[in-house]
């Protein structure tokens, strides 16, 4: 796991965008795994700018989002489909037909949606780079603590912790779903590369458990220790509880010297 501690959230967004741009420049047909939440929004802003000035094009890119609420229509303002439209898709040159979320429309069987999602990911040859955030309880996607590390795309009950964390995004009295369809931990682990972003002091504990704790379903993000190509971009606050901060900083400096800033 490559751990990079940067000054602030803007540097994290910049570092994330640089890596995604490098991937797309290398492969116009890249398959990107996307995440919702507040964390990747600034990075999406930088990708939008890069697309506007013609530095990259999403015209041949395919995307798969990690998760979607169950029980919200895709055009509901709080659905992750609407979120992605607002934060990214409607500002770039992507073909919306190539943007996938595990959406379960009214009257559709959720298990069929989950099975189909796995098949769709396989049919395009898998995900080249999966973007992740991390929940303050260590979840990735909506794989809550105690999720099987072998899990595939499925329906998950959200923990009280997550419902409370995400309540800030809903109006008081607005219906907030407590079920979602999420890629499983094993689905995420099949991505060829993983780029996890975390910012803010409220993520520091989960980040420490993910990187320096034991591999355990208590912290689903800790499964990433078993993946060969994970880059974690942190701001100072999110990295503040790591024991080996000095080591990560030195290793990053040396890697940059050896491989150059173009390394992604
Ligand atoms: C949600 C999403 C996760 C995301 C997490 C953190 O629960 N399902 O994919 O990583 O929130 O969100 P934030 O970036 O807003 O802290």
């Amino acid at each position: 796991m490559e751990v990079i501690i940067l000054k602030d959230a803007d540097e994290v967004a910049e570092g994330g965008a640089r890596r995604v741009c490098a991937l797309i420049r290398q492969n116009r047909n890249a398959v990107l795994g996307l995440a919702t939440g507040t964390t990747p929004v600034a990075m999406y802003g930088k990708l939008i700018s890069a697309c506007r000035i013609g530095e990259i094009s999403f015209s041949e890119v395919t995307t798969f989002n990690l998760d979607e609420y169950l029980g919200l229509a895709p055009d509901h303002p709080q659905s992750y489909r609407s979120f992605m439209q607002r934060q990214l898709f409607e500002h770039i040159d992507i073909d919306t037909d190539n943007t996938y979320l595990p959406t379960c429309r009214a009257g559709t069987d959720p298990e069929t949606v989950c099975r189909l999602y796995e098949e769709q990911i396989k049919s395009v040859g898998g995900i080249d780079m999966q973007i992740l955030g991390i929940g303050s309880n260590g979840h990735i996607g909506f794989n809550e603590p105690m999720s099987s590390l072998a899990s595939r795309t499925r329906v998950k009950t959200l923990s009280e912790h997550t419902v409370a964390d995400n309540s800030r995004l809903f109006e008081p009295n607005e219906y907030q779903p407590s079920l979602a369809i999420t890629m499983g931990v094993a689905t995420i682990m099949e991505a060829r590369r993983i780029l996890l972003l975390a910012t803010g002091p409220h993520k520091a504990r989960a980040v420490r458990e993910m990187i320096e704790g034991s591999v355990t379903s208590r912290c689903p993000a800790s499964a990433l220790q078993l993946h060969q190509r994970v880059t974690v971009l942190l701001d100072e606050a999110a990295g503040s509880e790591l024991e080996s901060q000095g080591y990560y900083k030195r290793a990053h400096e040396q890697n940059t010297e050896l491989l150059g800033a173009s390394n992604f």
Side-chain angles (χ1 to χ4, degrees):
M1 199 182 270
E2 183 188 21
V3 179
I4 303 179
I5 304 174
L6 299 160
K7 195 172 84 242
D8 55 23
D10 187 60
E11 283 195 3
V12 170
E14 187 60 44
R18 193 161 51 76
R19 286 166 171 81
V20 174
C21 287
L23 172 79
I24 295 175
R25 274 199 301 270
Q26 201 177 71
N27 176 10
R28 288 177 59 81
N29 300 101
V31 180
L32 261 185
L34 297 175
T36 52
T38 317
T39 313
V41 169
M43 180 184 78
Y44 292 154
K46 292 183 189 289
L47 292 176
I48 292 167
S49 306
C51 187
R52 283 199 178 132
I53 60 170
E55 202 182 301
I56 47 163
S57 167
F58 287 86
S59 60
E60 309 294 325
V61 170
T62 301
T63 65
F64 286 90
N65 264 79
L66 283 166
D67 44 19
E68 176 59 287
Y69 286 120
L70 192 58
L72 293 186
D75 59 356
H76 188 288
Q78 297 287 10
S79 74
Y80 281 171
R81 162 59 73 183
S82 298
F83 175 96
M84 290 309 303
Q85 291 293 134
R86 277 194 308 272
Q87 302 295 348
L88 185 64
F89 298 153
E90 61 192 41
H91 310 287
I92 57 175
D93 61 345
I94 199 159
D95 178 348
T96 316
D97 287 348
N98 295 335
T99 64
Y100 295 87
L101 282 92
T103 303
C104 187
R105 289 167 192 276
T108 314
D109 168 34
E111 283 193 17
T112 308
V113 173
C114 297
R115 208 178 41 249
L116 190 67
Y117 207 57
E118 292 275 338
E119 284 168 13
Q120 284 165 328
I121 295 172
K122 278 204 184 81
S123 74
V124 297
I127 292 172
D128 291 307
M129 182 186 281
Q130 176 68 54
I131 312 293
L132 292 177
I134 183 169
S136 60
N137 62 357
H139 75 215
I140 45 174
F142 271 132
N143 293 286
E144 299 285 25
M146 262 60 86
S147 288
S148 162
L149 302 186
S151 52
R152 313 294 316 187
T153 303
R154 69 210 183 293
V155 175
K156 261 319 263 188
T157 298
L158 307 187
S159 69
E160 286 180 4
H161 185 109
T162 296
V163 172
D165 263 5
N166 288 355
S167 64
R168 70 187 194 283
L169 304 168
F170 289 79
E171 300 295 329
N173 298 330
E174 191 181 11
Y175 167 69
Q176 186 184 350
S178 57
L179 286 172
I181 293 183
T182 180
M183 282 188 204
V185 178
T187 318
I188 293 169
M189 292 288 284
E190 281 173 8
R192 283 183 274 283
R193 299 192 50 142
I194 292 183
L195 180 61
L196 185 143
L197 315 181
T199 55
H202 59 302
K203 297 294 173 71
R205 189 165 158 220
V207 163
R208 189 192 63 212
E209 283 175 18
M210 163 178 73
I211 297 171
E212 296 178 341
S214 314
V215 175
T216 166
S217 61
R218 283 183 184 279
C219 175
S222 66
L224 301 177
Q225 292 176 30
L226 301 175
H227 193 284
Q228 286 191 333
R229 293 192 80 190
V230 180
T231 301
V232 180
L233 299 180
L234 305 171
D235 66 358
E236 293 277 357
S240 60
E241 288 195 26
L242 290 168
E243 271 177 28
S244 303
Q245 284 174 55
Y247 174 78
Y248 307 132
K249 285 183 180 164
R250 271 204 327 283
H252 178 55
E253 277 161 21
Q254 287 186 328
N255 283 344
T256 310
E257 241 172 64
L258 280 173
L259 305 167
S262 64
N263 171 46
F264 75 99

